[in-house]
């Protein structure tokens, strides 16, 4: 058994729904050797935050700890509803699921707030950079030019913990955690709420 990466010192395992939540290989992994992770860490104020990061994989399969490049980071007010799934769509963009920040009943009303990244499906271009970011905003993202957080693809979600793309239609289906009686499966569309 070979350990390919150990980042226990960076990942918060404090309970709830924290920890390492998602992993995705770049569509051109065979040539660029990039792998992306989504995990909960701690910022300099010791507050929980989501981190979407990129690492490089050596030819021997070991992930270089020192190669980490943080693409996205945003605070998590509670230890639950962190979402965490990441995957590349057929359009080549990286999709990221983000929960509403936790507790119960979305007390901070993050799901409907289009100025933050909580309670959303995000969509970013990891092959380009813009505005000092280590990624670019796809021009057809719904808030790319109209105000609001430009990374948002869809909003109004509670805890979209897993999603997948239909292989025939490319439709995006998301599993979202319900409040009490029901779980949800949502068809996610551009700018959908």
């Amino acid at each position: 058994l070979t350990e390919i990466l150990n980042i226990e010192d960076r990942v918060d395992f404090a309970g709830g729904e924290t920890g390492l939540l998602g992993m995705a290989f770049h569509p051109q992994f065979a040539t660029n050797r990039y792998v992306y992770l989504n995990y909960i860490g701690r910022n300099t104020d010791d507050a929980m935050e989501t981190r979407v990061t990129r690492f490089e994989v050596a030819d021997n399969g070991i992930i270089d700890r020192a190669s980490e490049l943080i693409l996205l980071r945003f605070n998590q007010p509670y230890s639950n509803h962190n979402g965490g799934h990441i995957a590349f769509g057929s359009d080549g963009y990286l999709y990221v699921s983000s929960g509403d920040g936790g507790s119960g009943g979305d007390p901070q009303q993050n799901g409907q707030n289009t100025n933050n990244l909580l309670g959303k499906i995000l969509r970013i271009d990891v092959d380009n950079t813009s505005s000092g970011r280590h990624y670019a905003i796809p021009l057809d993202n719904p808030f790319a030019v109209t105000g609001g957080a430009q990374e948002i693809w869809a909003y109004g979600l509670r805890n979209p913990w897993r999603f997948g793309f239909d292989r025939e239609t490319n439709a995006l289906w998301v599993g979202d955690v319900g409040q009490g009686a029901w779980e949800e499966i949502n068809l996610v569309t551009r700018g959908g709420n």
Side-chain angles (χ1 to χ4, degrees):
L1 187 64
T2 302
E3 181 177 85
I4 62 167
L5 176 67
N6 186 331
I7 54 171
E8 286 184 57
D9 58 326
R10 302 175 194 179
V11 179
D12 188 302
F13 297 99
E17 297 161 7
T18 61
L20 176 61
L21 303 174
M23 180 176 182
F25 290 92
H26 192 283
Q28 311 316 239
F29 175 78
T31 55
N32 66 25
R33 310 296 289 177
Y34 291 153
V35 63
Y36 298 80
L37 300 181
N38 185 338
Y39 66 87
I40 302 298
R42 293 275 175 171
N43 64 22
T44 55
D45 295 326
D46 200 36
M48 286 181 296
E49 67 177 10
T50 287
R51 293 182 193 155
V52 177
T53 68
R54 185 192 79 195
F55 286 88
E56 294 180 30
V57 182
D59 289 338
N60 65 1
I62 304 298
I63 299 174
D64 179 7
R65 275 178 52 92
S67 70
E68 183 176 33
L69 177 68
I70 297 177
L71 303 177
L72 283 173
R73 64 187 328 155
F74 49 93
N75 286 349
Q76 289 290 345
Y78 302 97
S79 65
N80 64 333
H81 295 190
N82 297 315
H85 191 86
I86 56 176
F88 283 89
S90 63
D91 54 13
Y93 296 133
L94 182 65
Y95 289 73
V96 178
S97 70
S98 171
D100 65 14
S103 188
D106 194 9
Q108 298 179 349
Q109 300 180 0
N110 290 316
Q112 294 298 312
N113 183 348
T114 57
N115 292 308
N116 74 37
L117 302 182
L118 297 169
K120 315 294 189 296
I121 297 295
L122 310 176
R123 179 178 178 250
I124 59 174
D125 176 358
V126 299
D127 293 326
N128 294 289
T129 60
S130 67
S131 304
R133 295 178 288 234
H134 296 294
Y135 61 91
I137 301 296
L139 294 178
D140 61 340
N141 274 11
F143 301 105
V145 294
T146 62
Q150 296 178 322
E151 295 85 353
I152 295 172
W153 181 248
Y155 64 103
L157 296 156
R158 186 165 189 263
N159 187 29
W161 65 285
R162 286 293 178 267
F163 62 83
F165 296 94
D166 185 294
R167 291 181 183 172
E168 293 183 13
T169 66
N170 293 320
L172 175 56
W173 293 92
V174 174
D176 199 4
V177 177
Q179 176 73 33
W182 301 98
E183 304 296 317
E184 293 183 6
I185 299 174
N186 295 305
L187 176 60
V188 173
T189 58
R190 177 187 180 275
N193 178 6

